[in-house]
Amino acid sequence: MKRLFMVAASLVCVLSIFTSSAQQPLSINVSFEEVLAVPIRPADARIEYGPEELQYGELWLPVQSAEEPAPLVILVHGGCWLNSFDVSHAYGFSTALSERGFAVWALEYHRTGDAGGGWPGTYQDIQAAIQAVGLLDDYAVDTGRVALLGHSAGGHLALLAGSDPEVSRQVDLVVGLAAIVDIEQYSQGDNSCQMATPLFMNGTVQDIPQAYSEANPAEKQPHTRTVLFHGDTDQIVPLAQAELNGAETRVFQGAGHFDWIHPGTGAFADLLILLEELF
């Protein structure tokens, strides 16, 4: 059963996670530019899940070695499905998770504007990557403990993948971060990302209703453990998108669209708590 949490109070309870190292207050409603300014370290490996140039994921391993393989986060980056936004803007997020004991496989994929991108090619890349997770067995990664995370348009793709029985059995948790849940409803909006939806889908919902139905997480049964995180000040993916039958919704007061992928925010700290509880 879906539960709705207003978690402004978690700013207080998670503050101690970061103040010991950063000695700075947590940020809120951060900008995309602030996300790009997050410190990064290079990935430890680049692993191709298909034969084409954009079919790869960059792997970060935990900074501190452990006695057993690290739990895995598969990350699907956002960017309105457009090829003007690539995986590099998720490097800071991936670096931060690796510093906290997780292995992170950040996927690149064909997007709108790429040959083979758009619906359904973009989604087929994500399916192929998850099904190829065994490629990580050569690294200190526990592919039996997997969380699938997607931000924004990447959240749409992650939620859709989580509804696929062939894919869902390979992951323990699906998380939508400011995710586009109802693509049909989203395509009716007038912000720049909403207007990019018909480009991704190769038509409007009036033109190709069956394709929108196939691409719509809101019309699917989600993975049995699905959590939606959303900020109530998100101007890119409205809070109305944070509803999915069978999923748990957690709303963070004051957070915007990019807080979830910035390690200096309370929203990120709330996400970290969920991952640590799982693994």
Side-chain angles (χ1 to χ4, degrees), residues 31-82:
S31 67
F32 185 63
E33 289 70 27
E34 288 175 279
V35 169
L36 297 179
V38 172
I40 66 173
R41 69 177 178 88
D44 295 287
R46 172 171 161 154
I47 300 163
E48 298 173 351
Y49 61 83
E52 300 185 18
E53 182 179 358
L54 291 173
Q55 293 177 318
Y56 69 90
E58 298 198 60
L59 178 65
W60 278 259
L61 297 171
V63 174
Q64 300 294 328
S65 59
E67 295 181 358
E68 58 183 29
L72 175 65
V73 172
I74 300 175
L75 175 64
V76 187
H77 73 81
C80 308
W81 306 280
L82 297 169

Coordinates of all heavy atoms in Angstrom, one line a residue, residues 31-82:
S31 N 20.5 23.7 -7.7 CA 20.4 23.9 -9.1 C 21.2 22.8 -9.9 O 22.0 22.1 -9.3 CB 21.0 25.3 -9.5 OG 22.4 25.3 -9.3
F32 N 21.0 22.7 -11.2 CA 21.7 21.8 -12.0 C 23.2 22.1 -12.0 O 24.1 21.3 -12.0 CB 21.2 21.8 -13.4 CG 21.8 20.8 -14.3 CD1 21.7 19.4 -14.1 CD2 22.5 21.2 -15.4 CE1 22.3 18.5 -14.9 CE2 23.1 20.2 -16.3 CZ 23.0 18.9 -16.0
E33 N 23.5 23.4 -12.0 CA 24.9 23.9 -11.9 C 25.6 23.4 -10.6 O 26.8 23.1 -10.7 CB 24.9 25.4 -12.0 CG 24.6 26.0 -13.4 CD 23.1 25.8 -13.8 OE1 22.3 25.8 -12.8 OE2 22.8 25.8 -15.0
E34 N 24.8 23.4 -9.5 CA 25.4 22.9 -8.3 C 25.7 21.4 -8.4 O 26.7 20.9 -7.8 CB 24.5 23.2 -7.1 CG 24.5 24.7 -6.8 CD 23.4 25.0 -5.7 OE1 22.2 25.1 -6.0 OE2 23.8 25.1 -4.5
V35 N 24.8 20.7 -9.1 CA 25.1 19.3 -9.3 C 26.4 19.1 -10.1 O 27.2 18.2 -9.7 CB 23.9 18.6 -10.0 CG1 24.2 17.2 -10.4 CG2 22.7 18.6 -9.1
L36 N 26.6 19.9 -11.1 CA 27.8 19.7 -11.9 C 29.0 20.1 -11.1 O 30.1 19.7 -11.5 CB 27.7 20.6 -13.2 CG 26.5 20.3 -14.1 CD1 26.5 21.2 -15.3 CD2 26.7 18.8 -14.6
A37 N 28.9 20.9 -10.1 CA 30.1 21.3 -9.3 C 30.4 20.3 -8.2 O 31.5 20.5 -7.5 CB 29.8 22.7 -8.7
V38 N 29.7 19.2 -8.0 CA 30.0 18.2 -7.0 C 31.3 17.6 -7.3 O 31.6 17.2 -8.5 CB 28.9 17.2 -6.9 CG1 29.3 16.0 -6.0 CG2 27.6 17.8 -6.4
P39 N 32.2 17.4 -6.4 CA 33.5 16.8 -6.6 C 33.3 15.3 -7.1 O 32.4 14.6 -6.7 CB 34.2 16.8 -5.3 CG 33.6 17.9 -4.5 CD 32.2 17.9 -5.0
I40 N 34.2 14.9 -8.1 CA 34.1 13.6 -8.6 C 35.4 12.9 -8.6 O 36.5 13.6 -8.5 CB 33.5 13.6 -10.1 CG1 34.5 14.3 -11.0 CG2 32.2 14.3 -10.1 CD1 34.2 14.2 -12.5
R41 N 35.4 11.6 -8.7 CA 36.6 10.9 -9.0 C 36.3 10.0 -10.2 O 35.2 9.6 -10.5 CB 37.1 10.0 -7.9 CG 36.2 8.8 -7.5 CD 36.8 8.0 -6.3 NE 36.0 6.9 -5.9 CZ 36.0 5.7 -6.5 NH1 36.9 5.4 -7.5 NH2 35.2 4.7 -6.1
P42 N 37.4 9.6 -11.0 CA 37.1 8.8 -12.2 C 36.5 7.4 -11.9 O 36.8 6.9 -10.8 CB 38.5 8.6 -12.9 CG 39.3 9.7 -12.3 CD 38.8 10.0 -10.9
A43 N 35.7 6.9 -12.8 CA 35.1 5.6 -12.6 C 36.3 4.6 -12.6 O 37.3 4.8 -13.2 CB 34.1 5.3 -13.7
D44 N 36.0 3.4 -11.9 CA 37.0 2.4 -11.9 C 37.1 1.5 -13.1 O 38.1 0.9 -13.4 CB 36.8 1.5 -10.6 CG 37.0 2.3 -9.3 OD1 38.1 2.6 -9.0 OD2 36.0 2.6 -8.7
A45 N 36.0 1.5 -13.8 CA 35.9 0.6 -15.0 C 34.7 1.1 -15.9 O 33.8 1.7 -15.4 CB 35.7 -0.8 -14.7
R46 N 34.9 0.8 -17.2 CA 33.8 1.1 -18.1 C 33.4 -0.3 -18.7 O 34.3 -1.0 -19.3 CB 34.2 2.0 -19.2 CG 33.2 2.2 -20.4 CD 33.6 3.3 -21.3 NE 33.0 3.2 -22.6 CZ 32.7 4.2 -23.4 NH1 33.1 5.4 -23.0 NH2 32.2 4.1 -24.6
I47 N 32.1 -0.7 -18.6 CA 31.7 -2.0 -19.0 C 30.6 -1.9 -20.0 O 29.6 -1.2 -19.8 CB 31.2 -2.8 -17.7 CG1 32.3 -2.9 -16.7 CG2 30.7 -4.1 -18.1 CD1 31.9 -3.2 -15.3
E48 N 30.8 -2.5 -21.2 CA 29.9 -2.4 -22.2 C 28.8 -3.5 -22.1 O 29.2 -4.6 -21.9 CB 30.6 -2.5 -23.6 CG 31.6 -1.4 -23.8 CD 32.4 -1.6 -25.0 OE1 32.4 -2.7 -25.6 OE2 33.2 -0.6 -25.4
Y49 N 27.6 -3.1 -22.2 CA 26.5 -4.1 -22.1 C 25.9 -4.4 -23.5 O 25.0 -5.3 -23.6 CB 25.4 -3.6 -21.2 CG 24.7 -2.3 -21.6 CD1 23.7 -2.3 -22.6 CD2 25.1 -1.1 -21.0 CE1 23.0 -1.2 -22.9 CE2 24.4 0.0 -21.4 CZ 23.4 0.0 -22.3 OH 22.8 1.2 -22.7
G50 N 26.4 -3.8 -24.6 CA 26.0 -4.0 -25.9 C 27.1 -3.6 -26.9 O 28.1 -3.0 -26.5
P51 N 26.9 -3.9 -28.2 CA 28.0 -3.6 -29.2 C 28.1 -2.2 -29.6 O 29.1 -1.9 -30.3 CB 27.5 -4.6 -30.3 CG 26.0 -4.6 -30.2 CD 25.7 -4.6 -28.8
E52 N 27.1 -1.4 -29.3 CA 27.1 0.0 -29.9 C 27.8 1.0 -28.9 O 27.9 0.7 -27.7 CB 25.7 0.4 -30.2 CG 25.0 -0.5 -31.2 CD 23.6 0.0 -31.7 OE1 23.3 1.2 -31.4 OE2 22.9 -0.8 -32.2
E53 N 28.2 2.1 -29.5 CA 29.0 3.1 -28.8 C 28.4 3.6 -27.5 O 29.1 3.8 -26.5 CB 29.3 4.3 -29.7 CG 30.3 5.3 -29.1 CD 30.6 6.4 -30.0 OE1 30.1 6.4 -31.1 OE2 31.3 7.4 -29.6
L54 N 27.1 3.7 -27.4 CA 26.5 4.3 -26.3 C 25.9 3.2 -25.3 O 25.2 3.6 -24.3 CB 25.3 5.2 -26.7 CG 25.7 6.5 -27.4 CD1 24.5 7.2 -28.0 CD2 26.5 7.4 -26.5
Q55 N 26.2 2.0 -25.6 CA 25.7 0.9 -24.7 C 26.8 0.5 -23.7 O 27.5 -0.5 -23.9 CB 25.3 -0.3 -25.5 CG 24.0 0.1 -26.4 CD 23.6 -1.1 -27.3 OE1 24.5 -1.8 -27.9 NE2 22.3 -1.3 -27.4
Y56 N 27.0 1.3 -22.7 CA 28.0 1.0 -21.6 C 27.5 1.6 -20.3 O 26.6 2.4 -20.2 CB 29.3 1.6 -22.0 CG 29.4 3.1 -22.0 CD1 29.7 3.8 -20.9 CD2 29.1 3.9 -23.2 CE1 29.8 5.2 -20.9 CE2 29.1 5.3 -23.2 CZ 29.5 5.9 -22.0 OH 29.6 7.3 -22.0
G57 N 28.2 1.2 -19.3 CA 28.0 1.8 -18.0 C 29.3 2.0 -17.3 O 30.3 1.2 -17.5
E58 N 29.4 3.1 -16.5 CA 30.7 3.3 -15.8 C 30.5 2.9 -14.4 O 29.5 3.2 -13.7 CB 31.0 4.8 -15.9 CG 31.2 5.3 -17.3 CD 32.0 6.6 -17.4 OE1 33.1 6.7 -16.9 OE2 31.4 7.5 -18.0
L59 N 31.5 2.1 -13.9 CA 31.5 1.5 -12.6 C 32.4 2.1 -11.6 O 33.6 2.3 -11.8 CB 31.8 0.0 -12.8 CG 31.9 -0.8 -11.5 CD1 30.5 -1.0 -10.9 CD2 32.5 -2.2 -11.7
W60 N 31.8 2.6 -10.5 CA 32.5 3.0 -9.3 C 32.5 2.0 -8.3 O 31.4 1.5 -7.9 CB 31.9 4.3 -8.8 CG 32.3 5.6 -9.5 CD1 33.2 6.5 -9.1 CD2 31.7 6.1 -10.7 NE1 33.2 7.5 -10.0 CE2 32.3 7.3 -11.0 CE3 30.7 5.6 -11.5 CZ2 32.0 8.1 -12.1 CZ3 30.4 6.4 -12.7 CH2 31.0 7.6 -12.9
L61 N 33.6 1.6 -7.7 CA 33.7 0.7 -6.6 C 33.9 1.5 -5.3 O 34.4 2.6 -5.3 CB 34.8 -0.3 -6.8 CG 34.7 -1.2 -8.1 CD1 36.0 -2.0 -8.3 CD2 33.5 -2.1 -7.9
P62 N 33.5 0.9 -4.2 CA 33.7 1.6 -2.9 C 35.1 2.0 -2.7 O 36.1 1.3 -3.0 CB 33.2 0.6 -1.9 CG 32.3 -0.3 -2.6 CD 32.8 -0.4 -4.0
V63 N 35.3 3.2 -2.1 CA 36.6 3.7 -1.9 C 37.3 2.8 -0.8 O 38.5 2.5 -1.0 CB 36.5 5.2 -1.3 CG1 37.9 5.7 -0.9 CG2 35.9 6.1 -2.4
Q64 N 36.6 2.4 0.2 CA 37.2 1.6 1.2 C 36.9 0.1 0.9 O 35.8 -0.3 0.6 CB 36.6 1.9 2.6 CG 36.8 3.3 3.0 CD 38.3 3.6 3.3 OE1 39.0 2.7 3.7 NE2 38.7 4.9 3.1
S65 N 38.0 -0.7 0.8 CA 37.8 -2.1 0.6 C 37.0 -2.8 1.7 O 37.1 -2.4 2.9 CB 39.1 -2.8 0.3 OG 39.9 -2.7 1.5
A66 N 36.2 -3.8 1.4 CA 35.4 -4.5 2.4 C 35.7 -6.0 2.3 O 36.3 -6.5 1.3 CB 34.0 -4.2 2.2
E67 N 35.3 -6.7 3.4 CA 35.6 -8.1 3.4 C 34.7 -8.9 2.4 O 35.0 -10.0 2.0 CB 35.3 -8.7 4.8 CG 36.3 -8.1 5.8 CD 36.0 -8.7 7.2 OE1 35.0 -9.5 7.3 OE2 36.7 -8.4 8.2
E68 N 33.6 -8.3 2.0 CA 32.7 -9.0 1.1 C 32.3 -8.0 -0.1 O 32.5 -6.8 0.1 CB 31.4 -9.4 1.8 CG 30.6 -8.3 2.4 CD 29.4 -8.9 3.2 OE1 29.5 -10.0 3.6 OE2 28.4 -8.1 3.3
P69 N 31.9 -8.5 -1.2 CA 31.5 -7.7 -2.4 C 30.5 -6.6 -2.0 O 29.6 -6.9 -1.1 CB 31.0 -8.7 -3.4 CG 31.6 -10.0 -3.1 CD 31.7 -10.0 -1.6
A70 N 30.5 -5.5 -2.6 CA 29.6 -4.4 -2.3 C 28.3 -4.5 -2.9 O 28.2 -5.0 -4.1 CB 30.3 -3.1 -2.7
P71 N 27.2 -4.1 -2.2 CA 25.9 -4.0 -2.9 C 26.0 -3.1 -4.1 O 26.7 -2.1 -4.1 CB 25.0 -3.5 -1.8 CG 25.8 -2.8 -0.8 CD 27.2 -3.6 -0.9
L72 N 25.1 -3.3 -5.1 CA 25.2 -2.6 -6.3 C 24.0 -1.7 -6.5 O 22.9 -2.0 -6.3 CB 25.2 -3.6 -7.5 CG 25.1 -3.0 -8.9 CD1 26.4 -2.2 -9.2 CD2 25.0 -4.1 -9.9
V73 N 24.3 -0.5 -6.9 CA 23.3 0.5 -7.4 C 23.4 0.6 -8.9 O 24.5 1.0 -9.4 CB 23.5 1.9 -6.7 CG1 22.5 2.9 -7.3 CG2 23.2 1.8 -5.2
I74 N 22.4 0.3 -9.6 CA 22.4 0.6 -11.1 C 21.6 1.9 -11.2 O 20.5 2.1 -10.8 CB 21.6 -0.5 -11.8 CG1 22.3 -1.9 -11.6 CG2 21.5 -0.2 -13.3 CD1 21.5 -3.0 -12.3
L75 N 22.3 2.9 -11.9 CA 21.8 4.2 -12.0 C 21.4 4.5 -13.4 O 22.3 4.4 -14.3 CB 22.8 5.2 -11.4 CG 22.5 6.7 -11.6 CD1 21.3 7.1 -10.8 CD2 23.7 7.6 -11.2
V76 N 20.2 5.0 -13.6 CA 19.8 5.5 -14.9 C 19.6 7.0 -14.8 O 18.8 7.6 -14.1 CB 18.4 4.9 -15.3 CG1 18.1 5.3 -16.7 CG2 18.5 3.4 -15.2
H77 N 20.5 7.8 -15.5 CA 20.5 9.2 -15.4 C 19.3 9.8 -16.1 O 18.7 9.2 -17.0 CB 21.8 9.8 -15.9 CG 22.0 9.8 -17.4 ND1 21.4 10.7 -18.2 CD2 22.7 8.9 -18.2 CE1 21.8 10.4 -19.5 NE2 22.5 9.3 -19.5
G78 N 19.0 11.1 -15.7 CA 17.9 11.8 -16.4 C 18.4 12.7 -17.5 O 19.5 12.6 -18.0
G79 N 17.5 13.7 -17.8 CA 17.9 14.6 -18.8 C 16.8 14.7 -19.9 O 17.1 15.0 -21.1
C80 N 15.5 14.5 -19.6 CA 14.4 14.6 -20.5 C 14.6 13.7 -21.7 O 14.0 13.9 -22.8 CB 14.3 16.1 -21.0 SG 14.2 17.3 -19.7
W81 N 15.3 12.6 -21.5 CA 15.6 11.6 -22.6 C 16.4 12.1 -23.7 O 16.6 11.5 -24.7 CB 14.3 11.0 -23.2 CG 13.3 10.4 -22.2 CD1 13.3 9.2 -21.6 CD2 12.1 11.0 -21.8 NE1 12.2 9.0 -20.8 CE2 11.4 10.1 -20.9 CE3 11.5 12.3 -22.0 CZ2 10.2 10.4 -20.3 CZ3 10.3 12.5 -21.4 CH2 9.7 11.6 -20.6
L82 N 16.9 13.4 -23.6 CA 17.6 14.1 -24.7 C 19.1 13.7 -24.7 O 19.8 13.6 -23.6 CB 17.4 15.6 -24.5 CG 16.0 16.1 -24.6 CD1 15.9 17.5 -24.2 CD2 15.5 15.9 -26.1

